[in-house]
Amino acid sequence: MVTKYTFGVPPMTEAVVVPQPSFSGMPTPFSVKEEEGKRVFSYTLGKDDLVFGLGEQMRGINKRGWIYDNWNTDDPIITEGRTSLYGAHNFILVFGEKTFGAFFDSPARVVFDIGYTDPDELTVTCGDVDVYIVEGDSAKEIVREFRRIIGSSYVPPKWAFGFAQSKWGYKNEDDVRAVWKGYRENGLPLDMIYMDIDYMQDYMDFTVNKERFPDLTALAAELKADGVYLVPIIDAAVKAKEGYHVYDDGLEKGYFCTDAEGKPFTVAVWPGESVLPDVLNPAARLWFGAQYKVLLDQGIEGFWNDMNEPAIFYSKDRLREAIVYAAGELGKDLDTDAYGALTGKFYTLANSMEDYNSFYHNSVDGRHVHAEVHNLYGYNMTRGASEYFDIYEPDRRYLLFSRSSYIGHHRYAGIWTGDNASWWSHLKLNLAMMPGLDMCGFLFAGADLGGHGGNTTEELMLRWLAFGIFAPLFRNHATQYARDQECYAFKNIGAFRSILNMRYAILPYLYSEFVKCAKSGEMLSRPVVFDYPEDARARTVEDQLMIGASIMIAPVMEQNAKGRYVYVPARMKMIRLKKGGNAFSERIVEKGDYYIEVPLDEIVFFLKEGAVMPLAKPAKNVASLDETNLRWLKFIEEPVEYEICRDDGFTKSSLSNFEKIKVEP
Ligand code: MIG
């Protein structure tokens, strides 16, 4: 059951698609007060209450004990003290004395203090907001109920569940071919190669640099014949250059964000001086989406949207102010305070609140200054593309995901979690985010495997992939400043082959479970306690997850570890996948603690009692996966039925094709 309470006049977000009657008054169990023009919602947590949710955010699966500032932010230095990332997913689930969900639907800043200021107090501070209190008999039911009102999740084409290689720094056709060759010649599976900003002409969206990529259509076709899709990046900002058709056309139509006087607001991002498409205006949104056509026409079927917080390196006005200030310091003998003030003028140019308060949107519900609707930008940029795909080829599913997002976005596309680093702690953070994202509808999600910033190692890469095989978005991506981290760039290629192959072996399971969950609102990845709510130990598990209906995973996430301890909350069957999934061993384990050894080329997971899981023979790509001759992992005494998705892999209309397979003990 959902109860909606409205405070003030929050801007429209279209996060919720099943309309709810609106009440005024106390959003029980929260109390509310006004403080400095803000609303503060409070709830006293029970001593042992856990708090889940918040999608893409810092810290553990249980969010209690930290403060979270939901304001979409492009900042790639993701250290433990951070409070904002690239997404704003304002749903929490309190699990304990009372178990309930709460969604704070406001596209401006929303701060969740979850036992940070006072260990027993949960406070949520924001401006005008719709608060949805979600009740149900269990955590799972509450999530189902929330997911029901926000609408069902995006399902990409099936090939998007294959393995993807990406790196900022593939500059031309030869670089792309080298990656393709590197995978194929080493017998490593591959379904996608990503194209980062260097494929464009001067970082202009929807252009292709002809010297570097003389014939993208031919290249895309050649790779696709081998089951490898090219996936180009699209940035939010449009280069402000006369003669560039996207700029000229958008300008003429009035589709860019404007300053207080109504003139296009210019910012500097990758293309240099740029303007921001006003994606909160439905006409401008669709117009921007329609630009993807030039790439679709060249055989491209997947995109990743970047820089859409929107990220701003600096604005001309602010830069001028800083330069004027610096000029005023010229010839002075600066002390350290003066030096700090001077450098501060430049350090704070990026993503400044001053800029976010200086431009406007023509939204469906009127004119808004950007800061009031900030968290909606990436969502609507991405929605525009999705809306256009529906026109371009209505029944076809395209791969689409974005860096920045808000709840509602999950209906149109997936997300990746931005610029993580090649740190073991970020592998753990990746795991911890998955269930929170799931609660907010973001099933097609994943992190840059191996880490984006900094240098990875063979061991970290392998362990990260071994976790990543259970995440829907399975992409190795890194910055141009990092050492090579393609799987063939390492010494022990055999171990990489084994782990990547296992992804394909479990793909029929992962994909079938994904499609079921996207439609039903069930969670694909869950905290262990959601399946074992009465188990006190399960409440504290921070490094294991339930994945789909049948299994629990427990990845190794420590350097030099030969294995790890696992908490098994009930009788299960331990499965050890070996040799790329071509072989496995199994052992029944009772509830309790176990130390498991996990060599770098193996994966250990746990099958629930009464459950089965299909296993395919590994393949070089999704297209050549043989799903007719499945093997079965099973922990059953009676025959059970397993529903497997038998869609064609790319149409929306075939998604409901499931086959019920009877599995004998
Ligand atoms: O300012 O396009 O998160 O994945 O490789 C950096 C270059 C811009 C940030 C993205 C990252 C991508 C990079 N981009």
Side-chain angles (χ1 to χ4, degrees), residues 74 76 86 166-169 195-198 200 203 233 235 269-270 304 306-307 309 311 313 403 416-420 448 452 475 477-480:
D74 172 28
Y86 304 87
S166 179
K167 180 167 178 128
W168 180 11
M195 298 163 75
D196 209 314
I197 47 177
D198 295 309
M200 294 183 233
Y203 303 134
I233 196 170
D235 277 5
V269 204
W270 285 109
W304 50 309
D306 192 18
M307 307 301 278
E309 292 67 34
F313 291 168
R403 192 169 70 178
W416 93 99
T417 55
D419 295 350
N420 61 3
D448 289 353
H452 183 264
R475 180 176 75 140
H477 177 54
T479 168
Q480 58 179 344

Side-chain angles (χ1 to χ4, degrees), residues 100-208:
F100 62 94
F103 174 44
F104 295 83
D105 191 10
S106 161
R109 188 185 296 275
V110 180
V111 178
F112 294 81
D113 180 337
I114 310 183
Y116 167 76
T117 303
D118 173 337
D120 301 315
E121 284 297 313
L122 162 62
T123 65
V124 183
T125 306
C126 53
D128 288 358
V129 63
D130 285 320
V131 181
Y132 295 81
I133 302 296
V134 189
E135 290 163 293
D137 289 336
S138 65
K140 285 185 184 179
E141 194 189 312
I142 290 164
V143 172
R144 224 182 295 127
E145 182 67 355
F146 179 55
R147 300 250 306 267
R148 181 182 68 81
I149 66 163
I150 60 173
S152 58
S153 302
Y154 161 76
V155 180
K158 191 169 183 177
W159 51 262
F161 284 78
F163 176 68
Q165 182 59 55
S166 179
K167 180 167 178 128
W168 180 11
Y170 299 155
K171 287 208 162 17
N172 53 38
E173 195 174 312
D174 288 345
D175 289 349
V176 169
R177 283 180 192 285
V179 174
W180 179 27
K181 242 179 80 187
Y183 275 87
R184 289 294 178 247
E185 285 180 355
N186 287 292
L188 295 161
L190 184 70
D191 272 270
M192 283 153 274
I193 299 175
Y194 281 64
M195 298 163 75
D196 209 314
I197 47 177
D198 295 309
Y199 80 86
M200 294 183 233
Q201 180 68 50
D202 303 325
Y203 303 134
M204 288 187 288
D205 280 337
F206 316 113
T207 67
V208 178

Side-chain angles (χ1 to χ4, degrees), residues 153-161 229 296 300-303 386 389-390 393-400 412 511 514-515 519 622 645-657:
S153 302
Y154 161 76
V155 180
K158 191 169 183 177
W159 51 262
F161 284 78
Y229 290 77
L296 293 166
I300 298 298
E301 296 183 46
F303 302 88
S386 168
F389 298 162
D390 287 348
E393 246 197 82
D395 197 30
R396 187 178 278 268
R397 282 138 58 193
Y398 291 90
L399 170 59
L400 179 64
Y412 303 97
Y511 185 67
F514 181 99
V515 176
K519 298 290 149 205
V622 171
C645 186
R646 294 292 196 203
D647 71 326
D648 57 19
F650 68 95
T651 61
K652 294 173 190 165
S653 50
S654 70
L655 266 179
S656 47
N657 297 350

Side-chain angles (χ1 to χ4, degrees), residues 298-326:
Q298 294 174 75
I300 298 298
E301 296 183 46
F303 302 88
W304 50 309
N305 286 346
D306 192 18
M307 307 301 278
N308 52 10
E309 292 67 34
I312 298 174
F313 291 168
Y314 60 87
S315 69
K316 254 192 178 168
D317 288 352
R318 232 62 67 206
L319 180 61
R320 199 178 306 113
E321 282 166 27
I323 293 171
V324 167
Y325 181 90

Side-chain angles (χ1 to χ4, degrees), residues 411-597:
R411 298 190 298 270
Y412 303 97
I415 53 168
W416 93 99
T417 55
D419 295 350
N420 61 3
S422 297
W423 302 335
W424 290 90
S425 62
H426 276 186
L427 165 52
K428 292 180 191 167
L429 184 61
N430 183 181
L431 181 146
M433 277 189 210
M434 296 309 283
L437 287 167
D438 210 301
M439 286 173 211
C440 300
F442 291 91
L443 299 197
F444 194 71
D448 289 353
L449 303 173
H452 183 264
N455 294 321
T456 198
T457 63
E458 176 169 293
E459 187 193 7
L460 176 57
M461 192 75 231
L462 277 167
R463 293 299 195 196
W464 211 323
L465 290 170
F467 163 69
I469 70 167
F470 299 104
L473 172 59
F474 188 47
R475 180 176 75 140
N476 175 350
H477 177 54
T479 168
Q480 58 179 344
Y481 310 107
R483 75 192 277 194
D484 291 347
Q485 66 182 47
E486 293 78 14
C487 296
Y488 52 81
F490 298 97
K491 189 172 175 192
N492 190 1
I493 296 180
F496 284 92
R497 193 178 302 120
S498 182
I499 299 294
L500 292 190
N501 277 339
M502 286 177 193
R503 165 64 166 220
Y504 291 78
I506 69 155
L507 209 140
Y509 173 73
L510 186 69
Y511 185 67
S512 297
E513 294 297 305
F514 181 99
V515 176
K516 285 180 234 177
C517 291
K519 298 290 149 205
S520 66
E522 292 293 333
M523 292 174 72
L524 179 70
S525 80
R526 303 178 297 284
V528 173
V529 71
F530 277 35
D531 283 32
Y532 303 95
E534 305 304 329
D535 187 310
R537 277 287 303 285
R539 303 165 71 91
T540 62
V541 175
E542 283 283 340
D543 55 358
Q544 304 171 199
L545 290 175
M546 310 304 302
I547 301 284
S550 306
I551 66 170
M552 179 181 82
I553 63 165
V556 175
M557 300 186 287
E558 297 284 348
Q559 180 171 310
N560 290 318
K562 300 280 177 241
R564 58 163 287 170
Y565 285 96
V566 182
Y567 176 62
V568 177
R571 193 161 186 256
M572 289 181 175
K573 192 179 263 187
M574 181 170 113
I575 308 283
R576 179 179 295 276
L577 275 194
K578 303 175 196 181
K579 300 186 168 55
N582 281 307
F584 64 87
S585 64
E586 53 181 41
R587 169 161 85 93
I588 292 171
V589 287
E590 302 299 329
K591 174 182 165 105
D593 292 280
Y594 295 86
Y595 182 81
I596 54 167
E597 276 186 21

